[in-house]
Amino acid sequence: MSNHRLTFTMEVPQSAEKLNPRKRRKDGSGANGAVEDDVVVPRKMARPTIGLSEPAPFSDELELDYSRPYIRVTLEEARLGTPADRPVRVYADGIFDLFHSGHARALMQAKCLFPNTYLIVGVCSDELTHTLKGFTVMNDVERYDAVQHCRYVDEVVRNAPWTLTPEFLAEHRIDFVAHDDIPYSSAGSDDVYKHIKEAGMFAPTQRTEGISTSDIITRIVRDYDVYARRNLQRGYTAKELNVSFINEKKYNLQERVDKVKKKVKDVEEKSKEFVQKVEEKSIDLIQKWEEKSREFIGNFLEMFGPEGALKHMLKEGKGRMLQAISPKQSPSSSPVRERSPSPAFRWPFTTKMSPSSSPINVSRSSAAAAYDISEDEED
């Protein structure tokens, strides 16, 4: 199986007249504010990295056809668009330690410089980097692999040179070199890309602000204790982290203290939630109690108030009791029967009692008086 990735190509007319010529006006940007006519806008072409299924191959795994002469593409030809079988070969190099989005964006810019670009990325080895720049976090094998898996890369050059020579450029058929235009002083030179710029092969890219390998390392060094504790908790030994015995115990103690603080904080939050729920329930209970108390007071007043049902019941009961105790008198028109004295026997020492002083009349008169008294009290 070939190491090349799946590619798609399409033919594009080479004549400039068929590439959507347009007129553009530059307000003061041209010489004396002149108008530039017939500026050709190139058409984007299909990239060789459309169908990604494998990482980018290494340059020493590919075979170039050296039978064809090495003829560089000019900047104008590259901007207009080259044939599908002759992409513009752009080279970008670097260390790419702790490969991050800033690296990926720089490679994306290099890939998008021209409509039909083949991007070659050179990665310097550990030996060369440690000598000329400094120690790296990732070794060269890891850095090669990281660059291989960037979607914009078509080819990776291992053990790339620090300074580009004409022999290296001819070997890899390089047309342009992409890098940010800030002078890069190293290896006894004020700018290692100076000769590339003078040859007209330099294509500038822009750096991504706020992200770099040095920034990431600075964050780790600044928060060293945090990351040391983090890795100790994940099973790394103090020897692997180059942590002393005293610092190890200090980190473990700090971790325990943080756990206790977290538990206390969780308890405080839960207690606040509990108190809030209790307050809500107490408010509901108070409202319900007020409603029930109003209902109870209303029922009490309805029963025992001045015009309550109990008073009416007592009045009705008292009237019924009085009626039961004192029956109604007979009407005055009814005849009164009087007993005739019995002629058979009579005590000699008794006198004849008047009808008004008879026991029956006395009882009736007392009952009538009592009835009148009760009527007066009721009134």
Side-chain angles (χ1 to χ4, degrees), residues 224-226 228-229 232-233 238 243-258:
Y224 170 78
D225 291 348
V226 175
R229 289 167 53 189
L232 285 173
Q233 293 300 318
V243 174
S244 64
F245 177 80
I246 296 176
N247 286 336
E248 180 185 6
K249 299 304 179 184
K250 181 184 73 173
Y251 295 148
N252 291 333
L253 179 61
Q254 290 176 350
E255 190 68 25
R256 293 175 183 174
V257 171
D258 290 345

Side-chain angles (χ1 to χ4, degrees), residues 224-239:
Y224 170 78
D225 291 348
V226 175
Y227 294 112
R229 289 167 53 189
R230 170 185 179 274
N231 282 8
L232 285 173
Q233 293 300 318
R234 280 160 176 76
Y236 289 89
T237 63
K239 185 177 180 180

Side-chain angles (χ1 to χ4, degrees), residues 295-314:
E295 183 180 354
F296 176 77
I297 293 171
N299 294 336
F300 182 84
L301 293 176
E302 185 179 354
M303 177 64 69
F304 300 102
E307 300 296 332
L310 182 62
K311 183 176 181 180
H312 296 290
M313 291 172 61
L314 291 175

